[in-house]
């Protein structure tokens, strides 16, 4: 027993139940649970499952009910694991889709900026050979104001 801490603490808990019963406490089991938590006996478990422990100790043991509870807890545990897994997979898929969309937008923006830079370079070449503004606008589809800025850059 001393090599298994949980078993040793369970025996200590049962001793508290007997102590409470012998002392004539009105709520024997409730007092034993509170005292066990106070003395750090099965503390984590009793803090999480104290209500269930109280309920189990106050009712007759029923194997079928116990198995039904275990089955439901297993289902809930599996559900939570499934939700967490699904959430993680969804997050990864969302990141992947987001990256792909970001790359597509980046490529589109890059193409637009490249096309615009190409129009500016074409306009500069046309200016250098002396073509009129209207002809440059017709060939490049740039606004006249942009073409005039290329001809006479702002100081």
């Amino acid at each position: 027993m001393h090599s298994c801490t949980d078993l040793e603490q369970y025996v200590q808990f049962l001793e508290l139940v007997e102590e409470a019963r012998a002392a004539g406490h009105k709520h024997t089991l409730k007092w034993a649970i509170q005292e066990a938590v106070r003395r750090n006996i099965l503390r984590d478990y009793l803090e999480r499952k104290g209500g269930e422990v109280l309920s189990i100790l106050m009712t007759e043991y029923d194997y079928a009910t116990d198995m039904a509870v275990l089955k439901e807890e297993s289902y809930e545990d599996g559900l939570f694991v499934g939700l967490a897994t699904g959430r993680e997979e969804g997050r990864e898929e969302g990141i992947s889709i987001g990256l792909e969309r970001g790359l597509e937008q980046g490529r589109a923006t890059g193409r637009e900026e490249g096309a615009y830079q190409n129009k500016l370079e074409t306009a500069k070449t046309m200016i250098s050979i002396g073509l009129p503004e209207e002809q440059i606008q017709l060939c490049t589809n740039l606004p006249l104001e942009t073409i005039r800025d290329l001809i006479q850059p702002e100081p």
Side-chain angles (χ1 to χ4, degrees), residues 73-126:
E73 286 176 351
S74 296
Y75 171 77
E76 288 173 358
D77 289 346
L79 181 63
F80 289 129
V81 168
L83 286 173
T85 301
R87 192 176 301 121
E88 180 62 26
E89 289 172 359
R91 187 177 78 73
E92 288 173 7
E93 185 177 344
I95 289 171
S96 177
I97 290 170
L99 285 172
E100 185 59 36
R101 286 183 183 162
L103 286 172
E104 287 173 13
Q105 287 176 345
R107 287 184 197 114
T109 300
R111 283 191 295 272
E112 289 172 11
E113 288 179 9
Y116 182 74
Q117 289 300 320
N118 189 30
K119 287 180 180 184
L120 290 176
E121 292 302 316
T122 301
K124 288 177 185 177
T125 301
M126 295 174 89

Side-chain angles (χ1 to χ4, degrees), residues 29 54-62:
L29 297 173
L54 184 61
S55 176
I56 289 169
L57 291 174
M58 292 182 71
T59 59
E60 279 187 46
Y61 177 76
D62 177 13

